[in-house]
Amino acid sequence: METLLLGLFYISTLYAFIPGLITRLFGFRVFRRGVSKDHFALTFDDGPDPVYTPKLLDLLKLYDAKATFFVVGSNAEKYPELVKRMHEEGHLIGIHNYVHKTNWLMWPASVKKQIQRTTKIIHDITGVTTHYYRPPWGIVNLFDFAKRNETQIVLWSAMFGDWRQRIGADRLTERMMKKLGGGEVFLLHDCGATLGANTDAPMQMLIALERVLKEAQTRGLQSIRIDEMITMGKNLKKKGNAAPSTSTGENAVHRGKPALSPMKKCIVSLWFLWEKVFHFLFRLKTTNSEDPIFHFRIRPYHGDTVKMMGDIPLVHGDQVLELHFDNKKLFQIGMRSRSSIQVAIGMIRGVEKTLPELASYIMAHPELHDVKALYGVTMINRGTEQLGFTVADLPKGLFAKSTTIYLKFLMKVIHPQGGARLKQSSSKELVPKMLVMPIELLLERYSEGGSHRHLKQKQQKDLQSAEDATETEVVLSTSLT
């Protein structure tokens, strides 16, 4: 039961909580605000609706305002004439799933089918293929990031609770006026038929919207489509990049310690806080609380049988010491390093130091004497056999796919050069592997009574070989923490 709950916690954290937190707080891999001073974007979810969408289109036409409609596929299927009218009047049409259901409650394949089905419906009606996607309630899952080349996820910078009728037109107007300005992305709804919404709420929205559009004209603000707002931002960024860089970028990396943007600093701080929570919840321990490399816990092994060194089998149900690299420590190593080779060397030295500490810890704790192996998941594919580990492929399936995406995501977010490293590496290079080592081999090689001194001399040679290596794969976490 404990294992099942832990598995559910892992999956929910990785699949839903972390992606949702990162996108909402930091806008990671989503578009939610423009940079134009004279334009804002009106976006409408949940339609089309046979009563309110025609009235909305009339209002937009009256004020020469362009908008983006994220349509529910099943509604678009019922009212194709409204989707056609949206397109003919110059509005952008995006996807809001085929049914209004959160992505947290659907498998990746189900979400993909929802998007593909809605895309086909829109194409059949308009002849245009859309790439703009807003998940219901703005809730993303881990695999939504993987669809980056297929879809552009669009969230918002301002929402007003317009799906509740009790808000009323006056209060809604006040809220919208406060946010009316260049670059803002308004979230509104032209249909009140979804869960939690009021059927007649769009009428209050229409009253408020007309007031806002009048005020926008007075201020010289124009509502444009999301694709136009995104293009404006890209063009501005290109102009900005034409100027010589003074403190950041590749030159800064070569001069010394890479500079972190304020957003990345916030992300890193948030991640370290989450790691502390994870360690507390699952009671992870370490051999060195002042300068940790590994954290660990005992759990049953649930994979296929693996032959470790010495032909020792690791079978389903065996107790393993699950290792988790300390993300803060490895981030510090990454910040001090100018290349992946230097990061790798720092990690090798840290592991070399910690394995004897682990061996001594196990010898001193009788409750660990039934543990059969060390176990971890990592993208490090070189040099670990020399330390006594056996490298094995993860079984194909959801865990392997989600772990790959997660570790790449963590590398990009935490590692100062993570994004560039991902672009340089092929998909075959960045694949998580399972590492296992028999406890008896750990004790034989690394305990005080074993052949640790002889091994240390050998590892010094291995370390020199690592310094001369031309390729070493590095990631800043080997676990789901």
Side-chain angles (χ1 to χ4, degrees):
M1 187 63 177
E2 180 183 353
T3 302
L4 176 61
L5 291 175
L6 179 61
L8 291 174
F9 179 86
Y10 270 138
I11 292 172
S12 62
T13 299
L14 172 62
Y15 189 71
F17 175 76
I18 294 173
L21 192 65
I22 295 298
T23 54
R24 288 298 183 89
L25 292 180
F26 307 109
F28 181 75
R29 287 197 177 180
V30 302
F31 178 81
R32 52 179 195 169
R33 198 180 194 284
V35 295
S36 173
K37 295 180 179 179
D38 303 319
H39 303 88
F40 68 108
L42 294 171
T43 68
F44 300 93
D45 290 4
D46 300 354
D49 179 272
V51 176
Y52 297 112
T53 303
K55 295 179 180 180
L56 172 58
L57 290 170
D58 290 342
L59 181 61
L60 294 173
K61 189 173 184 179
L62 179 64
Y63 286 90
D64 193 26
K66 294 298 182 284
T68 303
F69 290 84
F70 292 98
V71 300
V72 174
S74 56
N75 290 340
E77 206 169 35
K78 291 178 184 176
Y79 310 109
E81 70 283 355
L82 292 176
V83 177
K84 186 177 181 182
R85 181 182 169 187
M86 292 174 190
H87 175 67
E88 290 176 347
E89 295 185 1
H91 304 293
L92 179 65
I93 302 172
I95 305 158
H96 203 47
N97 282 358
Y98 180 77
V99 294
H100 198 278
K101 185 177 181 180
T102 173
N103 289 8
W104 285 7
L105 300 179
M106 292 188 290
W107 291 106
S110 300
V111 176
K112 184 176 181 179
K113 289 179 181 178
Q114 293 261 335
I115 294 173
Q116 290 177 338
R117 187 173 181 181
T118 305
T119 301
K120 185 178 185 304
I121 291 168
I122 295 171
H123 182 271
D124 289 345
I125 297 171
T126 66
V128 175
T129 299
T130 184
H131 300 284
Y132 298 91
Y133 174 56
R134 175 175 287 166
W137 294 290
I139 295 175
V140 300
N141 64 47
L142 181 66
F143 288 88
D144 289 329
F145 293 147
K147 298 189 285 287
R148 190 178 186 184
N149 295 329
E150 303 171 23
T151 58
Q152 169 64 64
I153 300 176
V154 179
L155 297 185
W156 56 84
S157 63
M159 67 175 177
F160 313 100
D162 66 305
W163 58 88
R164 296 191 295 268
Q165 187 174 1
R166 63 181 176 83
I167 296 295
D170 292 340
R171 205 156 30 136
L172 193 55
T173 301
E174 182 181 353
R175 292 180 179 181
M176 293 171 68
M177 290 294 191
K178 287 181 179 179
K179 297 297 293 184
L180 182 61
E184 296 289 347
V185 177
F186 281 19
L187 168 63
L188 298 166
H189 301 78
D190 59 327
C191 179
T194 56
L195 181 66
N198 301 130
T199 305
D200 296 327
M203 179 55 70
Q204 303 301 311
M205 182 275 294
L206 289 170
I207 295 171
L209 180 60
E210 183 167 13
R211 299 169 181 171
V212 170
L213 288 173
K214 285 182 181 179
E215 178 63 21
Q217 278 189 342
T218 302
R219 300 186 192 181
L221 291 169
Q222 180 68 34
S223 174
I224 61 175
R225 298 161 30 141
I226 283 293
D227 56 345
E228 295 172 330
M229 184 169 280
I230 292 174
T231 300
M232 283 184 178
K234 289 180 178 179
N235 291 338
L236 186 63
K237 187 176 181 180
K238 287 180 181 178
K239 291 180 180 178
N241 287 344
S245 175
T246 58
S247 61
T248 61
E250 185 177 354
N251 291 335
V253 172
H254 288 293
R255 284 196 303 271
K257 186 176 179 179
L260 291 182
S261 66
M263 185 184 78
K264 181 163 282 193
K265 287 181 181 178
C266 290
I267 294 175
V268 171
S269 298
L270 181 67
W271 186 255
F272 291 158
L273 176 62
W274 168 247
E275 185 177 46
K276 289 182 180 179
V277 174
F278 182 90
H279 289 180
F280 174 77
L281 291 176
F282 293 102
R283 301 177 183 177
L284 267 63
K285 299 178 181 180
T286 182
T287 59
N288 187 343
S289 59
E290 295 182 359
D291 189 27
I293 287 290
F294 289 131
H295 300 269
F296 55 87
R297 68 185 184 93
I298 303 172
R299 75 166 181 85
Y301 173 67
H302 296 295
D304 298 330
T305 299
V306 176
K307 279 290 184 71
M308 300 182 288
M309 285 194 177
D311 285 333
I312 300 173
L314 179 65
V315 301
H316 184 89
D318 283 343
Q319 295 292 306
V320 295
L321 202 69
E322 183 180 69
L323 303 178
H324 297 252
F325 273 131
D326 183 88
N327 288 332
K328 187 173 183 178
K329 178 66 176 180
L330 296 180
F331 176 70
Q332 292 170 350
I333 293 174
M335 288 295 292
R336 293 195 301 264
S337 304
R338 295 187 180 185
S339 69
S340 293
I341 294 295
Q342 290 183 354
V343 177
I345 293 170
M347 293 175 66
I348 291 171
R349 287 173 175 162
V351 172
E352 181 187 22
K353 173 186 175 182
T354 305
L355 288 177
E357 292 179 1
L358 272 175
S360 298
Y361 187 93
I362 291 171
M363 292 288 290
H365 290 77
E367 70 273 13
L368 298 180
H369 290 177
D370 292 333
V371 173
K372 192 170 185 179
L374 300 182
Y375 167 91
V377 177
T378 178
M379 282 184 177
I380 303 171
N381 297 325
R382 296 173 181 270
T384 51
E385 294 94 340
Q386 297 169 350
L387 298 176
F389 287 99
T390 297
V391 181
D393 292 330
L394 289 175
K396 293 182 179 180
L398 178 61
F399 177 76
K401 291 180 180 179
S402 61
T403 302
T404 301
I405 294 173
Y406 170 81
L407 291 178
K408 287 184 179 182
F409 163 77
L410 186 60
M411 187 176 186
K412 182 176 177 63
V413 171
I414 295 183
H415 196 294
Q417 301 173 6
R421 188 70 186 97
L422 286 177
K423 291 179 181 178
Q424 294 168 6
S425 302
S426 69
S427 59
K428 291 183 179 180
E429 290 176 324
L430 292 177
V431 175
K433 300 283 187 177
M434 177 173 63
L435 301 184
V436 289
M437 179 196 295
I439 291 295
E440 59 184 74
L441 180 61
L442 173 74
L443 299 180
E444 176 187 341
R445 288 192 176 187
Y446 295 97
S447 67
E448 289 297 327
S451 56
H452 177 53
R453 182 176 299 175
H454 170 74
L455 179 68
K456 189 171 183 179
Q457 295 174 351
K458 180 178 183 299
Q459 285 176 337
Q460 291 297 327
K461 295 180 182 180
D462 295 338
L463 188 58
Q464 184 62 46
S465 298
E467 293 176 355
D468 297 335
T470 57
E471 291 183 358
T472 303
E473 298 310 322
V474 174
V475 72
L476 291 184
S477 174
T478 61
S479 68
L480 297 181
T481 61

